[in-house]
């Protein structure tokens, strides 16, 4: 399908309605921590695998699911009142998902009317967003779960948001991470972009008009909204982040299967960083203790082609080495994004795409915007 046809198939919108938890805020870690603490008081152990049961639910519904699943000796109301203060204590620690701040700033700068519609109570919403500069003033409308008769998956909240924005539902673009939220948006007859917050779930989101992997992949022009202007030569500049450690053995296939060696490092101590960053293809600079600083392109994620069980980072240094360098200290500064991870019909097409990524990174890293990081002291260990 050509680019042009694709655009004409999607309905054009005039405003955006956003979900909060899991969509703009990375709430998952906090939820896990709170449930771990409270369940242990009942002699139970939180198993992250239940996370999908609570995503997108109202606090009461989520608590009810936990009380039932873990057969707790308390009522749902009691459980809610026990965990509520634990959550309130954590709100100051919730980070924005990558791309959330950028999106809100962009919509505000371009005068696109924006609403926030969350199943959380209004008071919690206000508290959570108060820790993020400029967020509150980005929304012309804020609606909490306690301000409508029924929360998502009922469309009430989105219909109320449209009314307060003085927009037709068909002119609204909903951005949602959860299934109840996607359902609510479609019942409200709005356009819906799903950004699943849990991995390997995108097949469940068929009802959405588009499923993307992270906010970094949002293309507003598809919906008739002003496009982001920060992409440079196929790359999106990011706030730098840093990761390093001795090179360890990886899956044993980079060189053998693909002809593309990737120098793996241990993710011990970096699990939060790894969880924070969406899967995808990134680039930056790599420092090797005794060899110098090199251009680098890497994937983060589950390598859909190989369907790995673990999320890893796979850094390919854009330099020809005559030997392996296992055990050497590798330092990475990651400064840009290229694309989301995808599956490929053939190994050849995966290899071709990775080489294309390499060329994009190679060229971009010459730009002053990116080349300045080559001198970052973090990269030099000797
Ligand atoms: P594994 O991932 O199983 O450790 P690979 O086949 O991916 O094995 O090879 C990775 C190793 O190859 C790195 O740990 C490093 O020692 C070596 N290597 C050689 N050239 C490069 C390069 N350009 N980029 C990354 N690693 C390289
Ligand atoms: N694996 C995938 O399954 N899908 C991808 O889109 C993908 N993109 C990659 C991009 C780069 C720049 C690199 C270095 C690797 C990528 N890989 C991808 C991972 C590749 O499958 C990985 O290097 C091997 O699995 C090594 O173990
Ligand atoms: Mg490797």
């Amino acid at each position: 399908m050509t680019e042009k046809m694709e655009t004409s198939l999607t309905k054009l919108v005039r405003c955006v309605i956003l979900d909060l938890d899991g969509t703009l805020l990375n709430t998952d870690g906090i939820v896990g921590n709170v449930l771990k603490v409270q369940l242990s008081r009942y002699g139970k152990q939180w198993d992250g695998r239940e996370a999908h049961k609570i995503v997108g639910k109202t606090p009461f519904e989520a608590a009810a699911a936990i009380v039932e699943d873990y057969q707790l000796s308390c009522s749902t109301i009691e459980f809610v009142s026990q965990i509520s203060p634990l959550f309130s204590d954590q709100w100051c620690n919730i980070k924005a998902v990558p791309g959330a701040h950028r999106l809100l700033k962009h919509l505000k700068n371009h005068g696109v009317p924006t609403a926030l519609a969350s199943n959380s109570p209004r008071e919690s919403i206000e508290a959570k967003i108060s820790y993020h500069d400029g967020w509150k003033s980005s929304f012309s409308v804020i609606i909490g779960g306690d301000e409508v008769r029924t929360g998502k998956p009922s469309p009430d909240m989105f219909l109320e948001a449209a009314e307060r924005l003085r927009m037709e539902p068909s002119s609204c673009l909903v951005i949602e991470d959860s299934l109840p939220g996607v359902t609510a948006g479609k019942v409200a007859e709005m356009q819906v972009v799903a950004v699943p917050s849990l991995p390997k779930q995108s097949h469940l989101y068929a009802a959405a008009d588009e499923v993307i992997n992270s906010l970094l992949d949002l293309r507003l022009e598809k919906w008739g909204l002003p496009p982001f202007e920060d992409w440079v030569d196929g790359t999106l500049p990011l706030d730098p982040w840093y990761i390093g450690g001795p090179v360890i053995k990886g899956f044993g296939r980079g060189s053998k299967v693909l002809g593309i060696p990737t120098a793996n490092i241990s993710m011990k101590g970096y699990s939060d960083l790894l969880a924070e960053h969406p899967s995808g293809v990134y680039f930056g600079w790599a420092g090797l203790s005794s060899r110098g600083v090199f251009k680098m392109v890497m994937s983060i994620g589950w390598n859909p082609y190989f369907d790995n069980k673990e999320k890893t980072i796979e850094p390919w240094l854009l330099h020809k080495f005559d030997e392996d360098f296992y055990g050497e200290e590798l330092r990475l500064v990651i400064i840009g994004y290229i694309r989301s991870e995808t599956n490929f019909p053939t190994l050849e097409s995966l290899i071709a795409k990775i080489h294309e990524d390499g060329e994009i990174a190679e060229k971009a890293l010459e730009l002053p915007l990116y080349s300045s990081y080559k001198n970052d002291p973090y990269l030099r260990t000797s």
Side-chain angles (χ1 to χ4, degrees), residues 248-255 260-264 313-315 326:
I248 59 167
K249 290 266 176 192
F251 292 112
R253 62 175 173 237
S255 317
I260 299 168
T262 53
N264 303 88
I313 73 169
E314 301 288 336
Y326 290 109

Side-chain angles (χ1 to χ4, degrees), residues 247 249-252 254-255 261-264 315-317 319 321 324-326:
V247 175
K249 290 266 176 192
F251 292 112
S255 317
T262 53
N264 303 88
W316 179 31
L317 278 52
H319 180 84
F321 295 91
D324 288 343
F325 41 82
Y326 290 109

Side-chain angles (χ1 to χ4, degrees), residues 16 18 103-112 114 220 225:
V16 177
L18 292 155
L103 171 61
L104 293 179
K105 211 161 116 191
H106 178 82
L107 294 173
K108 183 153 70 178
N109 286 346
H110 287 83
V112 178
T114 304
L220 290 168
L225 295 169

Side-chain angles (χ1 to χ4, degrees), residues 13 61 70 100 102 141 229 254 263 266 338 343 346 350 372:
V13 305
E61 289 166 346
Y70 285 86
R102 164 181 180 251
V141 169
E229 288 141 359
S266 164
I338 299 178
N343 202 343
T346 61
L350 169 63
S372 54

Side-chain angles (χ1 to χ4, degrees), residues 251 253-254 258 262 281 297-299 303-306 314 316 339 341-342 344 350 354 357:
F251 292 112
R253 62 175 173 237
L258 302 166
T262 53
V281 177
V297 65
M298 67 183 218
S299 70
N303 304 164
Y305 184 85
F306 297 100
E314 301 288 336
W316 179 31
R339 64 174 174 93
E341 269 196 316
T342 40
F344 289 87
L350 169 63
I354 298 176
D357 296 330

Side-chain angles (χ1 to χ4, degrees), residues 22 28 48-55 177 195-202 205 213 302:
D28 295 354
R49 276 178 296 186
E50 270 116 354
H52 68 275
K53 287 201 185 159
I54 57 176
V55 172
D177 73 304
V195 197
S197 51
L198 298 174
K200 301 194 184 197
Q201 300 274 309
S202 57
Y205 287 74
N213 184 59
W302 293 265

